[in-house]
Amino acid sequence: MLDGWTGGIDEAVLKPIREALLVAVYGKNGVDKKSRQTLLLGEAEIAFLTAEARRLATSAAGDARAAEELAKEWRKTDKANLKALGEGAKLPGGLTAALFGRMVTSDPRANIDAPVHVAHAFTVHAEEAESDYFIAADDLAREEDTGADTIQETELTSGLFYGYVVVDIPGLLSNLAGDAALAGAVLHNLLYRIAEVSPGAKIGSTAPYSRASFLLVEAGDRQPRSLAEAFRDPCAANAGVAIGRLVGHLARLDETYATGETRHFLSLVNTDMPGAERGSLADLARFAGTLPLTLAEPATS
């Protein structure tokens, strides 16, 4: 909020303004860095606070005492301003917070419930780790410098993973101020990320780029449920075997609970899923993108 535009402004002028902003955002102890919590701010919030800081600095006209008085006066009204920002801005917490939530212990009104719930992925088979032994040596070492500079070992593993993601669409719509078109675009793009994007840890030495072998998209009005129990007993590290295990478990759930979800799926394996429509990733993403629009439409008789 004070980056990129404060060049040439006396620090004595900026100090009371900075402190006023910190207290407004983090609470009464916000000036002390150790007392601050990690806080995700949205674009609208950052733009508002930046504009206010610039306005106060301009009004102070280089006078440190005037800046202190202006900052004190601003503190008297900032709560009402920030509340109005939160109520009136379309995306007060930003898209990231609208998807994954935000917790602010100093101001419960700024809390945002996460409509996207992501389970930890796990392998459907027993894990097998491989040791990678490596050393680093100095090519310009002197004769008396013998041995390696470092000797280390790291474990590498790969696997066929089961992942599970739930989206509370009414919650997503609420966080996006009821904008069904935006919510649809978010779900459309989220589905692509789930299917195509891999974690990037040790990316330079593992090239962990893969695509989903199977993707099932369900929509319904009942409490969601994971299919993780299909792999309570590990199966072979084979996509066809794992998909068969999952389809069988889902069939037993349908027989028992009959929750009636609408389903679309894609698969790299030649497999059938009764009651589900097969398609490409683009087909599944389009289907997901229509769901918020369907919920937002008024019911017709």
Side-chain angles (χ1 to χ4, degrees):
M1 291 172 282
L2 296 180
D3 290 339
W5 59 269
T6 57
I9 301 178
D10 193 333
E11 175 59 26
V13 173
L14 294 175
K15 184 174 182 291
I17 296 174
R18 180 186 295 109
E19 291 180 352
L21 292 174
L22 290 172
V23 171
V25 173
Y26 292 104
K28 62 182 181 180
N29 297 320
V31 176
D32 180 9
K33 187 174 182 179
K34 294 180 180 179
S35 299
R36 298 178 209 158
Q37 60 179 323
T38 301
L39 180 60
L40 176 68
L41 293 178
E43 184 178 350
E45 294 165 325
I46 293 172
F48 168 76
L49 293 169
T50 301
E52 288 295 282
R54 297 188 74 158
R55 181 181 66 80
L56 293 173
T58 301
S59 300
D63 187 335
R65 186 177 293 275
E68 187 174 348
E69 291 301 318
L70 287 167
K72 286 181 180 179
E73 183 62 28
W74 184 80
R75 280 288 297 121
K76 294 178 182 178
T77 58
D78 76 291
K79 288 184 179 180
N81 288 335
L82 291 172
K83 181 180 179 182
L85 177 70
E87 293 174 348
K90 191 173 185 181
L91 289 175
L95 191 56
T96 301
L99 287 169
F100 301 106
R102 178 174 72 178
M103 184 182 74
V104 185
T105 56
S106 60
D107 184 3
R109 294 172 303 173
N111 289 343
I112 299 174
D113 291 333
V116 179
H117 313 154
V118 183
H120 288 283
F122 61 87
T123 57
V124 301
H125 51 83
E127 181 195 42
E128 295 180 5
E130 181 177 307
S131 295
D132 180 27
Y133 169 84
F134 63 94
I135 68 169
D138 186 355
D139 288 339
L140 302 179
R142 298 167 299 180
E143 288 185 7
E144 60 269 27
D145 296 331
T146 59
D149 293 308
T150 181
I151 300 175
Q152 295 188 40
E153 183 180 18
T154 187
E155 286 191 343
L156 301 175
T157 185
S158 183
L160 184 61
F161 287 86
Y162 170 77
Y164 181 60
V165 179
V166 174
V167 181
D168 174 4
I169 296 179
L172 178 62
L173 283 167
S174 176
N175 287 353
L176 297 178
D179 191 332
L182 178 58
V186 166
L187 285 181
H188 177 278
N189 293 346
L190 179 63
L191 211 65
Y192 271 94
R193 299 298 182 269
I194 292 170
E196 295 182 339
V197 177
S198 302
K202 296 184 73 69
I203 195 169
S205 57
T206 61
Y209 306 111
S210 61
R211 303 284 172 90
S213 298
F214 179 86
L215 184 63
L216 171 65
V217 179
E218 297 182 308
D221 58 2
R222 303 283 289 273
Q223 177 175 300
R225 49 89 194 94
S226 169
L227 299 177
E229 194 174 357
F231 308 107
R232 181 181 293 276
D233 295 321
C235 67
N238 177 286
V241 173
I243 293 169
R245 179 82 69 85
L246 186 141
V247 170
H249 180 64
L250 182 57
R252 289 187 290 275
L253 285 172
D254 284 344
E255 291 171 2
T256 305
Y257 292 98
T259 45
E261 292 84 5
T262 302
R263 294 178 182 137
H264 293 252
F265 78 101
L266 67 81
S267 178
L268 298 181
V269 176
N270 215 3
T271 186
D272 257 341
M273 174 166 278
E277 184 175 331
R278 186 169 188 160
S280 66
L281 178 57
D283 296 328
L284 271 63
R286 277 194 295 269
F287 167 68
T290 64
L291 296 174
L293 294 167
T294 303
L295 283 178
E297 290 176 357
T300 56
S301 56

